[in-house]
Amino acid sequence: GAVVSQHPSWVICKSGTSVKIECRSLDFQATTMFWYRQFPKQSLMLMATSNEGSKATYEQGVEKDKFLINHASLTLSTLTVTSAHPEDSSFYICSATSVLSYEQYFGPGTRLTVT
Amino acid sequence: GQNIDQPTEMTATEGAIVQINCTYQTSGFNGLFWYQQHAGEAPTFLSYNVLDGLEEKGRFSSFLSRSKGYSYLLLKELQMKDSASYLCAVRDGGQNFVFGPGTRLSVLP
């Protein structure tokens, strides 16, 4: 159990366009979803925390108008990178937690390349 | 502020034992996690400590001392496939997960 999916697994887009990444908890209801970004040879950096039905909480330094997060249901959260630039190229990973476990369950990640 | 520290890189020999240390200072504490991450993949859960002491799971063990803000991950009988990054993370008082910089372990034949 406790499977989290992400879609797409990789995406290449042109500078200035927007990209949407979906994160779904497949077999449990996710009370909270986390969005991380990871640059090569670095650790995970938390971007934002989202709870179903409420606005996401963004970490310091993360532009909420650029990284739009929507958590419309207990099983789906989306991250939209608006007006993407090459420096946004990174590995984006979501995770989800439920009230039934102390763990966070990671999605497989999405590799974004902006050209 | 919140801070988690780990060695950046470690090297060990196949069959040996390696200990990866983690020290932390966070706003609140709701457990310490160790993850393994291979390049290009998401982290996978290895262990969880919320009380002081040692948790053993097969070749992997994790220790926690809350009073010292210290944990270690012990890997026994190292295998080549154990070459990966090992991430220490603390769940803070706000229920967020704060990650350390990760330790890149290279296992040599």
Side-chain angles (χ1 to χ4, degrees):
Chain A
V3 178
V4 175
S5 70
Q6 258 183 266
H7 179 80
S9 55
W10 60 270
V11 58
I12 301 172
C13 71
K14 292 189 176 180
S15 189
T17 61
S18 295
V19 174
K20 180 186 283 189
I21 302 170
E22 291 188 351
C23 178
R24 292 181 185 271
S25 57
L26 298 184
D27 51 3
F28 67 101
Q29 293 187 327
T31 49
T32 303
M33 285 187 169
F34 301 91
W35 286 97
Y36 297 92
R37 180 167 53 180
Q38 186 176 34
F39 293 107
K41 296 190 177 182
Q42 294 186 22
S43 190
L44 275 70
M45 294 296 296
L46 180 65
M47 299 176 67
T49 304
S50 76
N51 295 292
E52 183 262 341
S54 60
K55 289 184 178 179
T57 302
Y58 290 81
E59 294 299 296
Q60 196 171 7
V62 178
E63 301 173 55
K64 59 182 178 182
D65 294 331
K66 179 172 181 61
F67 298 98
L68 302 179
I69 292 173
N70 184 282
H71 195 158
S73 76
L74 283 171
T75 60
L76 173 64
S77 177
T78 61
L79 167 68
T80 302
V81 183
T82 62
S83 188
H85 290 282
E87 56 265 31
D88 297 324
S89 298
S90 188
F91 192 45
Y92 292 86
I93 308 173
C94 73
S95 72
T97 61
S98 77
V99 294
L100 300 176
S101 174
Y102 52 77
E103 284 187 57
Q104 62 176 328
Y105 303 98
F106 285 98
T110 297
R111 181 152 313 276
L112 170 64
T113 302
V114 184
T115 62
Chain B
Q2 315 224 83
N3 185 59
I4 298 182
D5 205 20
Q6 304 176 235
T8 306
E9 293 188 20
M10 296 184 72
T11 303
T13 305
E14 195 175 12
I17 300 172
V18 70
Q19 177 175 313
I20 303 174
N21 296 324
C22 171
T23 57
Y24 65 90
Q25 290 176 304
T26 56
S27 303
F29 179 84
N30 283 297
L32 186 141
F33 298 78
W34 283 96
Y35 296 93
Q36 180 190 63
Q37 187 180 27
H38 285 100
E41 300 178 8
T44 55
F45 170 80
L46 289 179
S47 69
Y48 168 70
N49 295 73
V50 68
L51 300 176
D52 290 352
L54 188 68
E55 294 284 338
E56 297 186 81
K57 189 186 291 186
R59 293 189 299 115
F60 297 82
S61 304
S62 58
F63 171 83
L64 174 68
S65 169
R66 288 173 296 170
S67 62
K68 295 182 179 178
Y70 168 71
S71 173
Y72 67 73
L73 178 70
L74 194 71
L75 293 78
K76 303 176 187 175
E77 301 169 17
L78 279 174
Q79 302 175 9
M80 299 297 288
K81 66 178 182 179
D82 297 329
S83 292
S85 287
Y86 291 85
L87 309 176
C88 172
V90 173
R91 196 163 195 188
D92 66 15
Q95 300 297 335
N96 285 338
F97 293 83
V98 183
F99 280 83
T103 299
R104 277 197 303 282
L105 174 66
S106 298
V107 180
L108 305 178

